[in-house]
């Protein structure tokens, strides 16, 4: 990855005393990526629960400390947004950096996206959660940052039953917008990446807005709109904006919801709705109930969304 685009100035003290002197790890892992593992822990002094993300500094023989500092810098920048996960403190060891974050007890919205009808989000839930996601994204964008990896695995809930509030996590790919033109290699997750990422065109805040469109579609239907049988097919579907709104998937979902998604899944980034415009969209400002509630009697549909384990990150190398 091009590291010149990273923000590496941080304010948080990198503690070097042992993490285990201050925290006890509890329960099983909360999540795991290629280079990080997230565990629930309890702060010994306060008894409070946190989520600790253990990030390896060396990856594939390369020093990735600056990537981690960039992730910390974005969390620091967004600390006053209620919808971005709180960073409590940071530890550094020889091999790892540990981010101690607010614990989001409700887990990934992914789980409800792929759940059976009786546990799935209603349109009313989605309206409330998408408003929160947009407020978090707007905060980042106003500060000239882009997330670049918005997907259901990176949007967590403070509680799942009753349904709580959202927390955006995983700023591992985030960039300052002014810096982004220098990025020659882009990492993202196939189903959620915008067309300009695939064609190596400039990345902007609009790139995140595409992902918000895909997220909304998935939260309402449980179906990933561009997912093909393989990566090539998925990329082709994205670059052709080959999307459908089948009656059976959108049964009981308002026309306004579809209109909202259509304002985001537009190939030309300049024509895509921005976060502030989205928050003014009639779908999100209408307080009225959805036209008809989701039909809870429908058979649970087979999920077409890939499980977190299989949403492998892609690497696109620009060939110029
Ligand atoms: P990666 O960069 O490996 O994708 P993430 O920051 O996305 O790492 O964390 C991986 C997973 O760990 C998330 O998808 C989520 O399930 C879980 N997780 C991360 N942060 C928290 C948190 N603050 N509270 C609860 N679970 C978390
Ligand atoms: Mg993640």
């Amino acid at each position: 990855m091009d590291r010149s685009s990273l923000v590496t100035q941080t304010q948080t003290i990198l503690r070097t005393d042992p993490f285990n002197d201050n925290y006890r790890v509890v329960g099983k892992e909360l999540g795991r990526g290629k280079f990080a593992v997230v565990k629930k822990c309890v702060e010994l002094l306060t008894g409070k629960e946190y989520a600790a993300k253990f990030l390896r500094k060396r990856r594939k023989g390369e020093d990735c400390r600056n990537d981690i500092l960039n992730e910390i810098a974005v969390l620091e920048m967004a600390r006053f947004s209620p919808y971005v996960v709180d960073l409590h403190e940071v530890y550094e060891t020889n091999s790892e950096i540990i981010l101690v974050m607010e614990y989001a007890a409700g887990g990934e919205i992914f789980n409800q996206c792929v759940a059976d009808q009786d546990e799935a989000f209603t349109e009313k839930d989605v309206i409330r959660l998408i408003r929160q996601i947009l407020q978090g994204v707007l905060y980042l964008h106003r500060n000239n940052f882009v997330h670049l990896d918005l997907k259901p695995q990176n949007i967590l809930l403070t509680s799942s039953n009753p349904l709580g509030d959202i927390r955006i996590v995983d700023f591992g790919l985030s960039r300052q917008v002014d810096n982004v033109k220098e990025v020659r290699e882009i990492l993202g997750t196939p189903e959620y990446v915008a067309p300009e990422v695939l064609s190596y065109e400039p990345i902007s805040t609009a790139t995140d807005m595409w992902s918000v469109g895909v997220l909304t579609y998935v939260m309402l239907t449980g179906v990933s709109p561009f997912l093909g049988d393989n990566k090539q097919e998925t990329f082709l579907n994205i670059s052709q904006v080959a999307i459908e709104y089948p009656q059976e998937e959108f049964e009981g979902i308002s026309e306004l919801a579809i209109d909202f998604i259509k304002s985001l899944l537009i190939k030309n980034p300049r024509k895509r709705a921005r976060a502030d415009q989205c928050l003014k969209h009639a779908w999100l400002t209408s307080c009225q109930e959805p036209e008809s509630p989701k039909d809870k009697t429908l058979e649970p549909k087979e999920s077409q969304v890939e499980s977190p384990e299989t949403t492998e990150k892609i690497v696109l190398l620009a060939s110029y």
Side-chain angles (χ1 to χ4, degrees):
M1 196 188 303
D2 175 9
R3 301 216 152 67
S4 66
S5 62
L6 298 167
V7 180
T8 55
Q9 299 274 3
T10 59
Q11 289 149 22
T12 310
I13 293 165
L14 306 182
R15 295 182 63 157
T16 51
D17 53 322
F19 168 82
N20 286 321
D21 284 358
N22 302 308
Y23 293 88
R24 178 168 45 91
V25 170
V26 290
K28 60 175 182 60
E29 276 172 23
L30 296 170
R32 177 181 282 272
K34 269 212 183 92
F35 309 108
V37 46
V38 181
K39 296 176 184 173
K40 187 175 164 182
C41 58
V42 172
E43 191 175 34
L44 299 177
L45 200 62
T46 59
K48 272 190 75 178
E49 294 178 322
Y50 290 94
K53 182 173 183 180
F54 297 76
L55 290 133
R56 266 177 32 212
K57 287 194 279 189
R58 284 194 79 78
R59 304 168 186 175
K60 296 181 182 159
E62 263 192 83
D63 177 12
C64 293
R65 190 171 183 271
N66 281 345
D67 292 69
I68 304 170
L69 295 181
N70 176 76
E71 187 165 345
I72 295 169
V74 185
L75 287 168
E76 285 175 352
M77 178 281 300
R79 68 184 168 275
F80 297 119
S81 166
Y83 302 117
V84 170
V85 76
D86 243 19
L87 181 64
H88 179 54
E89 54 178 8
V90 180
Y91 287 80
E92 180 164 20
T93 70
N94 275 338
S95 59
E96 287 179 322
I97 291 183
I98 308 166
L99 310 188
V100 186
M101 296 172 288
E102 158 192 16
Y103 170 56
E108 304 170 9
I109 63 163
F110 180 86
N111 301 318
Q112 266 113 317
C113 289
V114 299
D116 293 348
Q117 288 284 330
D118 54 332
E119 280 174 30
F121 296 130
T122 63
E123 181 170 347
K124 219 175 146 199
D125 295 332
V126 179
I127 289 175
R128 187 173 67 86
L129 299 179
I130 286 290
R131 279 195 67 85
Q132 296 187 351
I133 294 170
L134 283 168
Q135 284 168 39
V137 168
L138 179 61
Y139 191 95
L140 300 177
H141 291 182
R142 285 213 166 127
N143 286 286
N144 287 320
F145 278 84
V146 284
H147 186 284
L148 298 183
D149 203 12
L150 292 170
K151 57 177 177 175
Q153 295 86 350
N154 290 337
I155 311 283
L156 309 186
L157 291 164
T158 54
S159 70
S160 63
N161 196 10
L163 194 58
D165 297 320
I166 70 105
R167 293 291 184 266
I168 302 173
V169 300
D170 197 354
F171 293 82
L173 299 184
S174 298
R175 289 292 182 279
Q176 200 161 26
V177 187
D178 342 330
N179 287 351
V180 162
K181 40 187 178 309
E182 297 303 318
V183 177
R184 279 166 175 254
E185 176 194 1
I186 299 303
L187 297 147
T189 304
E191 295 161 70
Y192 298 88
V193 294
E196 63 271 21
V197 176
L198 302 178
S199 55
Y200 314 115
E201 283 159 46
I203 281 162
S204 69
T205 53
T207 310
D208 278 341
M209 298 316 295
W210 173 279
S211 308
V212 172
V214 182
L215 257 174
T216 309
Y217 190 112
V218 173
M219 288 172 79
L220 288 168
T221 65
V223 175
S224 184
F226 297 111
L227 184 64
D229 289 338
N230 52 53
K231 265 186 223 170
Q232 280 68 29
E233 230 176 84
T234 302
F235 292 161
L236 196 66
N237 290 339
I238 293 168
S239 60
Q240 297 176 340
V241 198
I243 188 162
E244 282 170 330
Y245 300 86
Q247 184 94 67
E248 77 242 51
E249 305 295 354
F250 280 86
E251 197 167 332
I253 296 169
S254 67
E255 272 303 319
L256 277 174
I258 296 179
D259 186 79
F260 175 83
I261 298 169
K262 286 184 174 165
S263 74
L264 294 169
L265 300 182
I266 296 173
K267 182 148 182 170
N268 183 343
R270 285 183 296 275
K271 297 203 170 138
R272 245 171 255 159
R274 297 186 313 261
D276 59 323
Q277 294 171 326
C278 284
L279 282 163
K280 292 186 194 130
H281 189 282
W283 182 53
L284 296 179
T285 52
S286 63
C287 297
Q288 85 241 17
E289 298 282 324
E291 268 138 50
S292 62
K294 249 188 177 177
D295 186 351
K296 310 234 180 229
T297 60
L298 284 178
E299 282 291 296
K301 54 181 170 263
E302 201 178 314
S303 160
Q304 288 182 30
V305 181
E306 281 189 79
S307 76
E309 294 78 43
T310 57
T311 50
E312 163 200 351
K313 287 178 176 170
I314 52 158
V315 181
L316 298 169
L317 278 162
S319 51
Y320 46 73

